[in-house]
C-alpha cells in the first residue's frame, strides 16, 4: 500500500549531524539525549522529560518505581489497548486488578467507566495505579476529569501516550494530565523515528528516579531497582530530527483526513472527529465507526484499510473490536491510495 516517509528536512538534519556522534565516540548519554529532552519539554510544556529506549521501557520504569518507592502494587488498565500494556503490568511485578470499560465513540473510557471500575475494586486505593492509553491520535476527552478524580482518591494516573504525541486537549499536550506520561516514536506511530520513547512528568523527584533507573543507577548507586533502558545517541538524534518537523507531519496527515471527512459527511459515515470538544489530534489513525452492525457488513466494499485499534479486547468491551476500522493515513501517503479508499466508501454506501 505504500510506506511511511520521513520528511526530507528531517533526513537532511540527521545526515548533517550523525557523523559528529560517530567521530566523537560519545555514542550514549550525550548531547542529543539532552537536546531531545529539552525539545520535548518545550513542546509538551511539562517540566521534565527523560528519553528511554521505548515507550514500553519508560512505562516499565514508572510502574516499578511507583511500586518500589510508593507502594503502588495494583494496576488497572483499559480494555481497549495493546496486549503489551497487560504484559508490562505483570512484568513489572504488579497485580492486574481490573479492566476499565471503553466506549465506541472514542475507543477509550469515560470518567464514569473509571469511577465504576474503582467502585468495584475491593483493595486499598493508595496501592492503586490507573494506566490509560490514548487511542488513535487523540487524548482521552475525559483526561482532565479522570486526573482530578484520581487525585481526590489518592490514585496514581499514568498516561500511555504512544498514539498521541502532538495532540492537545484544552490546549494542553498529551501526557500532561496525570502523574506522568510516556510518548512513543516507534516506526508506525504518528510521529515516527524507528524506536524510542520519552517519559514526561511535572514531578522532579520522579524524573530523577526514572533517569537513574534508565542506567541502573550505576553512578550514585542508591537505587535498589534499575535496568538499561537508555536511548542511544544516534536514535536520540533521529527522534530529535523528526520532531523538529512534527507540525508538518500532522498538517500533511490532516490534508488526507480532510478528504476522508468530506467523503464521510457526504455518505453519512460515522468517524472519530479529531477536532472537536477542545481536542486537536495528530491523525495517527482515521477511525470509522458502525453503531448498528459489524463494520465489515456496514462497509462491504472497503478493502483498503490498515490494522484496527485493536482487533481484540482485554476486558468486556467486545463491541469495539467489531464496530470500527481504520483508513490508511500516513505522512507522504500517495494520492492514489486516498482516492481508492474514497471510491470504496462510495461503492459500499451505494449498495446500502
Amino acid at each position: 500500500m505504500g510506506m511511511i516517509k520521513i520528511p526530507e528536512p528531517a533526513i537532511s538534519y540527521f545526515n548533517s549531524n550523525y557523523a559528529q556522534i560517530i567521530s566523537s565516540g560519545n555514542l550514549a548519554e550525550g548531547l542529543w539525549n539532552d537536546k531531545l529532552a529539552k525539545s520535548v519539554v518545550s513542546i509538551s510544556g511539562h517540566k521534565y522529560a527523560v528519553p528511554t529506549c521505548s515507550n514500553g521501557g519508560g512505562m516499565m520504569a514508572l510502574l516499578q518505581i511507583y511500586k518500589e518507592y510508593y507502594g503502588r502494587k495494583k494496576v488497572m488498565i483499559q480494555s481497549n489497548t495493546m496486549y503489551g500494556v497487560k504484559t508490562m503490568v505483570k512484568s513489572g511485578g504488579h497485580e492486574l486488578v481490573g479492566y476499565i470499560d471503553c466506549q465506541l465513540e472514542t475507543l477509550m473510557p469515560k470518567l464514569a467507566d473509571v469511577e465504576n471500575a474503582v467502585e468495584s475494586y475491593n483493595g486499598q486505593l493508595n496501592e492503586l495505579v490507573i494506566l490509560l492509553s490514548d487511542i488513535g491520535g487523540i487524548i482521552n476527552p475525559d483526561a482532565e476529569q479522570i486526573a482530578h478524580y484520581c487525585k481526590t482518591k489518592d490514585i496514581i494516573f499514568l498516561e500511555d501516550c504512544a498514539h498521541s504525541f502532538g495532540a492537545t486537549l484544552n490546549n494542553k499536550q498529551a501526557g500532561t494530565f496525570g502523574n506522568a506520561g510516556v510518548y512513543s516514536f516507534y516506526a508506525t506511530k504518528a510521529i515516527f523515528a524507528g524506536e524510542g520513547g520519552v517519559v514526561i512528568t511535572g514531578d522532579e523527584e520522579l524524573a530523577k528516579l526514572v533517569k537513574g533507573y534508565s542506567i541502573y543507577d550505576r553512578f550514585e548507586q542508591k537505587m535498589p531497582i534499575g535496568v538499561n533502558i537508555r536511548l542511544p545517541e544516534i536514535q536520540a538524534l533521529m527522534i530529535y530530527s523528526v520532531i523538529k518537523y512534527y507540525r508538518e507531519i500532522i498538517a500533511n496527515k490532516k490534508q488526507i483526513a480532510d478528504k476522508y471527512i468530506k467523503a464521510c459527511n457526504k455518505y453519512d459515515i460515522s468517524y472519530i472527529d479529531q477536532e472537536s470538544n477542545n481536542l486537536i489530534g495528530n491523525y495517527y489513525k482515521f477511525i470509522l465507526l458502525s453503531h448498528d452492525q459489524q463494520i465489515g457488513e456496514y462497509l462491504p466494499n472497503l478493502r483498503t484499510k490498515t490494522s484496527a485499534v485493536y482487533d481484540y479486547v482485554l476486558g468486556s468491551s467486545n463491541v469495539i473490536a467489531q464496530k470500527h476500522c481504520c483508513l490508511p493515513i500516513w505522512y507522504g501517503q500517495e494520492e492514489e491510495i486516498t482516492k481508492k479508499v474514497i471510491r470504496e466508501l462510495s461503492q459500499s454506501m451505494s449498495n446500502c
Side-chain angles (χ1 to χ4, degrees):
M1 292 217 314
M3 62 182 295
I4 299 172
K5 305 174 181 68
I6 293 175
E8 286 296 332
I11 296 172
S12 296
Y13 189 88
F14 178 85
N15 286 337
S16 298
N17 288 280
Y18 81 90
Q20 180 274 332
I21 296 175
I22 297 171
S23 62
S24 72
N26 189 8
L27 304 182
E29 302 169 41
L31 169 70
W32 291 102
N33 270 266
D34 290 341
K35 288 175 73 71
L36 174 59
K38 290 175 182 176
S39 179
V40 171
V41 164
S42 176
I43 291 168
S44 70
H46 231 3
K47 292 182 179 179
Y48 308 102
V50 182
T52 59
C53 63
S54 66
N55 166 275
M59 193 60 70
M60 282 285 290
L62 288 171
L63 287 171
Q64 293 189 333
I65 287 166
Y66 271 112
K67 180 184 177 185
E68 181 69 27
Y69 287 90
Y70 303 97
R72 301 289 177 156
K73 305 173 183 178
K74 319 287 187 178
V75 180
M76 286 185 184
I77 64 175
Q78 66 196 54
S79 60
N80 183 50
T81 190
M82 184 185 70
Y83 186 79
V85 174
K86 176 181 178 180
T87 63
M88 281 190 292
V89 172
K90 189 67 176 291
S91 298
H94 295 72
E95 181 183 352
L96 180 61
V97 295
Y99 297 102
I100 302 170
D101 285 341
C102 297
Q103 303 299 317
L104 180 62
E105 289 74 18
T106 62
L107 310 186
M108 291 179 277
K110 287 181 171 292
L111 171 62
D113 297 311
V114 175
E115 292 173 332
N116 290 338
V118 171
E119 288 169 8
S120 66
Y121 171 61
N122 295 321
Q124 298 294 318
L125 296 185
N126 63 4
E127 291 185 333
L128 185 61
V129 173
I130 287 180
L131 167 54
L132 297 184
S133 304
D134 293 334
I135 297 294
I138 60 172
I139 300 166
N140 187 312
D142 284 2
E144 281 189 325
Q145 297 98 307
I146 291 169
H148 176 73
Y149 172 77
C150 288
K151 188 174 182 179
T152 63
K153 295 291 185 179
D154 193 20
I155 298 169
I156 296 299
F157 174 30
L158 299 182
E159 299 174 72
D160 169 19
C161 307
H163 292 192
S164 55
F165 181 84
T168 61
L169 170 64
N170 295 327
N171 296 315
K172 291 181 62 177
Q173 292 280 335
T176 63
F177 297 91
N179 298 86
V182 191
Y183 297 131
S184 173
F185 301 99
Y186 179 63
T188 62
K189 294 297 183 282
I191 311 301
F192 43 88
E195 190 54 277
V198 175
V199 175
I200 63 168
T201 183
D203 184 333
E204 182 179 12
E205 181 61 24
L206 180 62
K208 288 180 179 178
L209 289 170
V210 172
K211 192 164 186 178
Y213 178 101
S214 70
I215 54 171
Y216 28 67
D217 195 34
R218 73 184 193 281
F219 295 122
E220 295 189 6
Q221 300 178 9
K222 295 179 180 178
M223 296 179 66
I225 56 172
V227 295
N228 174 16
I229 56 167
R230 62 190 163 208
L231 185 68
E233 282 287 277
I234 286 285
Q235 192 57 32
L237 169 61
M238 174 64 80
I239 298 171
Y240 182 85
S241 301
V242 171
I243 67 172
K244 280 173 63 71
Y245 302 98
Y246 84 95
R247 290 188 178 89
E248 174 188 323
I249 293 170
I250 294 173
N252 179 269
K253 290 159 71 72
K254 185 181 183 305
Q255 291 176 351
I256 302 166
D258 286 343
K259 295 174 184 178
Y260 289 154
I261 289 169
K262 184 177 180 180
C264 288
N265 290 339
K266 178 178 180 180
Y267 301 117
D268 196 26
I269 299 171
S270 295
Y271 61 94
I272 294 181
D273 190 347
Q274 299 209 11
E275 296 190 40
S276 65
N277 300 318
N278 298 315
L279 287 164
I280 299 178
N282 65 20
Y283 292 101
Y284 173 49
K285 297 278 189 177
F286 193 93
I287 303 169
L288 303 183
L289 305 174
S290 173
H291 296 279
D292 300 322
Q293 59 191 130
Q294 292 192 11
I295 194 72
E297 297 171 354
Y298 178 53
L299 299 170
N301 295 99
L302 180 61
R303 298 286 183 266
T304 307
K305 297 178 285 188
T306 58
S307 58
V309 197
Y310 292 90
D311 58 0
Y312 53 84
V313 290
L314 305 178
S316 59
S317 306
N318 294 312
V319 66
I320 286 177
Q322 302 163 357
K323 293 194 172 182
H324 83 279
C325 68
C326 300
L327 304 182
I329 182 168
W330 56 78
Y331 177 81
Q333 179 168 299
E334 297 83 351
E335 179 66 17
E336 182 50 42
I337 292 175
T338 308
K339 291 180 178 178
K340 184 179 180 184
V341 170
I342 294 172
R343 286 197 301 269
E344 292 173 0
L345 291 175
S346 173
Q347 292 164 3
S348 292
M349 299 314 291
S350 67
N351 292 333
C352 292

